[in-house]
Amino acid sequence: MRATKGQTAVEYLGIIAVVVAIVLAITGTSIGSTILGKITGLINQVGN
């Protein structure tokens, strides 16, 4: 029997697919644009 240590490539692909779906859903809405603007502003503050 195979050991169940670590993640398999299929599990990683599944996780990546979910993350991509969430990002596409967020960026396709005005809420996504608002969130992106706030995050960008915070990153710029940290950089200065």
Side-chain angles (χ1 to χ4, degrees):
M1 199 171 222
R2 232 175 92 187
T4 55
K5 278 171 112 181
Q7 299 289 325
T8 65
V10 174
E11 290 170 326
Y12 280 125
L13 288 175
I15 293 168
I16 291 170
V18 170
V19 170
V20 167
I22 292 170
V23 168
L24 289 176
I26 290 174
T27 57
T29 62
S30 61
I31 294 172
S33 298
T34 303
I35 293 170
L36 180 62
K38 298 282 186 185
I39 291 172
T40 304
L42 290 171
I43 291 172
N44 287 337
Q45 286 179 357
V46 170
N48 291 331

